[in-house]
Amino acid sequence: VGRRMVLLVTTVFLAIGSIMIVVSPNVWVLLVALIIQGICTGIAYPVCFVYAVEITASNNKELAVMIVYLGQFGGVFLSTVSYFAINNIGWRYMVALVSCPFIFIVIGLVMSPETPRYLIVHGKIEEAIQSLKKIYKWNGDMFPENCVSIKKDIFEKAGKLIDIFRFEFRK
């Protein structure tokens, strides 16, 4: 499962958790919804940064991380502002309002490619090239066909987890 799919699944479950919170008939459904949201947030939070860095050009990586951070901080800020702004109409409306951006996040993730790095590491070289072409197109650049030289024999030399405990790797 790639980074994009992890983000897509966790975002869908965050939206489901938000819907459960809004319509919760009792405290037990509310508790289950909050647990779902807590788990999904814990999974998605670090993956957002990895995804942003892996699909961004090397000269814009810091900017990508800042945008992701500001987006996540913006969600918390929006929640706080909405609490004070519409507190008199009820907390369920506040949760529903703050959950609306999930729609745009899901649409964006569906349109976004998987990260080329993830695809290459998992031996999906042709898919990685297609992903790179899509990223280049979004940036308004032409994909340089002659710059891609990925050796397939690298994947045959992949180690095992036990290899990290062998003496030659501890030098």
Side-chain angles (χ1 to χ4, degrees), residues 6-7 9-15 17-18 21 33-49 72-73 75-76 102:
V6 168
L7 289 174
V9 169
T10 55
T11 303
V12 168
F13 274 101
L14 282 167
S18 294
I21 288 171
L34 291 172
I35 290 171
I36 289 171
Q37 286 201 316
I39 291 170
C40 289
T41 300
I43 293 170
Y45 190 78
V47 177
C48 289
F49 292 103
Q72 292 174 347
F73 175 76
V76 173
F102 286 135

Side-chain angles (χ1 to χ4, degrees), residues 38-117:
I39 291 170
C40 289
T41 300
I43 293 170
Y45 190 78
V47 177
C48 289
F49 292 103
V50 172
Y51 185 78
V53 167
E54 287 187 1
I55 65 167
T56 307
S58 60
N59 59 339
N60 292 326
K61 290 189 186 301
E62 295 86 2
L63 179 63
V65 170
M66 282 185 59
I67 289 171
V68 169
Y69 179 75
L70 289 174
Q72 292 174 347
F73 175 76
V76 173
F77 181 73
L78 179 63
S79 299
T80 305
V81 168
S82 67
Y83 171 77
F84 290 111
I86 61 172
N87 190 26
N88 57 345
I89 64 171
W91 62 270
R92 292 179 192 263
Y93 295 108
M94 179 188 73
V95 172
L97 177 68
V98 173
S99 301
C100 289
F102 286 135
I103 296 166
F104 301 108
I105 294 170
V106 168
I107 291 169
L109 285 169
V110 167
M111 293 173 40
S112 299
E114 182 58 75
T115 65
R117 180 180 305 233

Side-chain angles (χ1 to χ4, degrees), residues 19-33 91-92:
I19 292 169
M20 288 174 64
I21 288 171
V22 170
V23 299
S24 62
N26 57 45
V27 71
W28 300 110
V29 174
L30 181 64
L31 182 62
V32 168
W91 62 270
R92 292 179 192 263

